[in-house]
Amino acid sequence: MAYLNRNPSGTALPVRIGLIGSGWMGAFHAESIARRVPGAVLAAIADPNLESAEALAGALGTAKVTADAADLLADPEIDAVVIASPARFHSSLIGQAAAAGKHVFCEKPAGLGLEELDAALAAVDAAGVHFQIGFNRRYAADFQAAKKDLAAGIAGEPQLLRSLTRDPGTGSIGHATRIPAWTIFLETLIHDFDTLNWFNEGAEPVEVYAVADALVEPGLREEGFLDTAVVTIRYSNGAIAVAEANFSALYGYDVRGEVFGSKGMVQAGRAAETAARRFTAEGMSADTPRLNVELFRQAYTDELVDFADAVRAQRDGRRDGTEPQPFSLTPGAQDARRALAMALACIESVQQGTPVAVNETAVL
C-alpha cells in the first residue's frame, strides 16, 4: 500500500534544513530555524563534537544527530544546509553540499583563500543551488532603512563612507591565544567590507591600506595577535571609505555605518540598546547590548527567513510571493568573494606596510 499524500493542495512543504556546526553561532541559528523561521524545519545536526550536537538537538527536539557532515549531505530528506563550522572548513563544505544538491547558507567568511572559494562557488554554479553568505547587517532594520535612502539617491554620489565594529569586552581578552591569526580581517571587518560595498553598490574596491596592532592585549603583539585595526579603502567611483574594528569596547557592542555624499548623509547603527535614556544626578545613561545575538537578533532570524524563502521558491519552481525590494538584499557568491578579497588584501597590506590593490579578479 502506498503512502497517502496528506499535504493539502497548494500548501508548500517545509524546507528541511541541516545544521553543520553546533557552536555559538550554529546553536543560535539552530534555535532560529526551529522556533522563528516560518515554514522551516531543523532536520539534522552534524558536529564532530557529538556531545555538543546531541545537547542542542535535545533542547530543540531534533531527531537526527551525527558527528559526520557527510551523513547529513547524503540525507535525501534535507533540502538545504547552514554551515556554521570553523572558517577553515567553509569552502570545502560549500563544495560538498552543492555537489550533494543542497542549497547553502554559510557563515562568513566563505573561505580563507580565493582559490579554494572559487572551487566551492564553481560547484554551487554547476549544481544550480541557492547560495547565501551570512552578512547579517543587511537584514538589520536601520541598515536596510539607510540602504533604501541610498538607493533613492538621498545622499547623492557617495564620497566618504565609514563602517565600524567594536566588540564588547572588559579591557582584556581571556581567550586571545585561541583566536586564529588575522581574525580581525577575515571574521570581523569582513562584515564592514560587505556593508561598505553594499552601501556603495555599483563601485568596486580598488585599493586598501590597513594598519593593525594589539592594543587591548599588547603582551601578545610579538606573537602576531591583532585586536585593533583601521582600513582605508578606495573605490572605483572615487569614494573613500574607512573601516575600523576593536575587540574590547567597555560600553558594549557597537556597530555603525555612514555614507556622506554630494547631497547629504545617511547613518545606520546605534550603541544604545533602546532609545530610552536615564537622566540622574550621575548624568545621562542608557543600556547597551553586550552580545551579537542581542544587537542583531532579528537580523539573524530574517536572513534565515530570506534563505528559506529562496530555497522553497527554487525547490518548488515558483515565486515566493514576497514583494520585491527596492534595492539588492540577499548577499550571494559575488558578495562573499568581494569581501574576502578585501580581507586578504588587508592582510597583505599589514605585512608589507603599504597600500595593496584588491585582486582584479575579486568579483565573478
Side-chain angles (χ1 to χ4, degrees), residues 157-161 196 199-200 203-207 232-242 259-261:
E157 291 298 318
Q159 296 174 350
L160 296 172
L161 299 91
L196 293 168
F199 279 178
N200 195 22
E204 293 297 332
V206 174
E207 182 184 79
T232 302
I233 306 152
R234 295 191 65 92
Y235 280 91
S236 58
N237 63 350
I240 302 170
V242 174
V259 178
F260 173 86

Side-chain angles (χ1 to χ4, degrees), residues 165 167 171-173 176 179 184 188 212-221 224-229 245-248:
T165 301
D167 292 335
S172 65
I173 307 170
I179 297 176
I184 199 162
T188 301
D213 204 345
L215 301 182
V216 181
E217 294 289 349
L220 297 177
R221 182 179 291 119
F225 177 71
L226 300 172
D227 54 44
T228 306
N246 183 280
F247 285 169
S248 187

Side-chain angles (χ1 to χ4, degrees), residues 17 28-30 32-33 37 40 82 105 132 139 299-309:
I17 299 175
F28 188 80
H29 284 325
S32 296
I33 295 165
V37 179
V82 168
F105 177 99
Q132 186 172 326
Y139 295 87
Y300 281 129
T301 299
D302 288 347
E303 66 179 351
L304 290 175
V305 170
D306 185 26
F307 177 65
D309 286 347

